[in-house]
């Protein structure tokens, strides 16, 4: 269906119990071939599948989903240049329960929606405000992209932006965890003299983003090429 409003029952359990999850995929235009390319689509879809299963929602066929996304990108491909210079589509996929009977139970009916948003991302330093409010907690739901994880963060994020910061750096018991929608890496010189790239461990308190996992997968290459050790700590 085309982009536009969605009709949904006012009693839909996604609205009342937060039975909803999401995933974001970057689609960029190759500067040499002009082809549109997505970054590690399979890993993103596995993340969406894991979040859906965590909420006990029906899952989907990954191959069919890839084909649907390809058709959507081809349909809207001209919009990628709408902001002046080619950059990328942010592809947001949302999966939510449409069960119309109130009650906390396994959804029998769900809707899965994908939309493309043309954006330009430019590299710039971020100003972060630290918060000791618990964004997530051990053995909680922080490793899944559940929509309800974000709502309680709004006051702290709004306060940070109203005071001149770009985002919040979330802490737990004094330890750095992550930003609101971004994982954290710290490049530093160790006490032994070598350079190291540190990221907090995946302890169910952070989202193991695809970019984060890609860097961890490449740790041997990074150490060999750049003489930088990559560690979870």
């Amino acid at each position: 269906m085309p982009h536009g409003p969605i009709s949904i029952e006012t009693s839909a359990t996604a609205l009342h119990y937060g039975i909803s999850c999401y995933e974001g995929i970057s689609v960029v235009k190759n500067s040499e071939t002009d082809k549109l390319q997505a970054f590690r689509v399979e890993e993103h879809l596995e993340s969406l599948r894991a979040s859906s299963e965590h909420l006990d929602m029906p899952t989907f066929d990954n191959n069919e989903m890839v084909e649907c996304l390809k058709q959507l990108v081809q349909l809207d491909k001209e919009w990628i240049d709408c902001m002046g210079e080619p950059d990328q589509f942010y592809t947001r996929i949302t999966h939510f329960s449409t069960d119309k009977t109130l009650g906390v139970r396994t959804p029998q009916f769900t809707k899965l929606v994908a939309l493309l948003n043309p954006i330009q991302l430019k590299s710039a330093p971020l100003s972060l405000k630290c918060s000791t409010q618990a964004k997530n907690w051990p053995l909680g739901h922080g490793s899944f992209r559940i929509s309800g994880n974000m709502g309680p963060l709004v006051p702290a994020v709004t306060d940070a932006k109203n005071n001149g910061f770009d985002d919040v750096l979330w802490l737990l018991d004094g330890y750095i965890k992550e930003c609101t929608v971004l994982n954290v890496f710290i490049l530093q010189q160790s006490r032994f003299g070598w350079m190291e790239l540190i990221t907090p461990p995946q302890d169910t308190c952070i989202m193991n983003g695809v970019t984060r996992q890609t860097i961890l997968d490449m740790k041997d290459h990074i150490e060999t090429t750049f003489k930088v050790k990559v560690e979870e700590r």
Side-chain angles (χ1 to χ4, degrees), residues 66-139:
V66 169
E67 290 304 315
C68 289
L69 292 174
K70 285 181 179 179
Q71 292 182 35
L72 178 61
V73 169
Q74 286 301 312
L75 184 67
D76 286 345
K77 63 183 180 180
E78 301 303 325
W79 285 96
I80 202 169
D81 296 328
C82 73
M83 300 182 71
E85 62 181 81
D87 204 328
Q88 64 176 297
F89 281 138
Y90 175 73
T91 309
R92 168 57 66 89
I93 309 172
T94 305
H95 189 196
F96 55 92
S97 169
T98 56
D99 276 9
K100 59 184 180 181
T101 303
L102 292 177
V104 180
R105 62 175 67 88
T106 298
Q108 299 302 309
F109 301 94
T110 66
K111 191 178 290 291
L112 202 155
V113 177
L115 59 91
L116 301 180
N117 183 30
I119 59 174
Q120 289 180 316
L121 293 180
K122 299 185 182 298
S123 178
L126 291 178
S127 176
L128 303 175
K129 182 179 180 180
C130 294
S131 174
T132 56
Q133 172 188 335
K135 180 176 186 281
N136 298 303
W137 54 93
L139 303 180

Side-chain angles (χ1 to χ4, degrees), residues 177-215:
K177 289 301 178 183
E178 59 186 351
C179 294
T180 304
V181 296
L182 298 173
N183 290 128
V184 172
F185 281 85
I186 298 172
L187 180 64
Q188 64 182 19
Q189 185 176 33
S190 75
R191 59 188 176 129
F192 302 106
W194 61 69
M195 297 303 295
E196 55 185 10
L197 189 61
I198 307 299
T199 187
Q202 171 50 285
D203 53 3
T204 71
C205 291
I206 69 168
M207 167 59 63
N208 183 29
V210 172
T211 301
R212 175 184 183 276
Q213 187 58 52
T214 300
I215 294 172

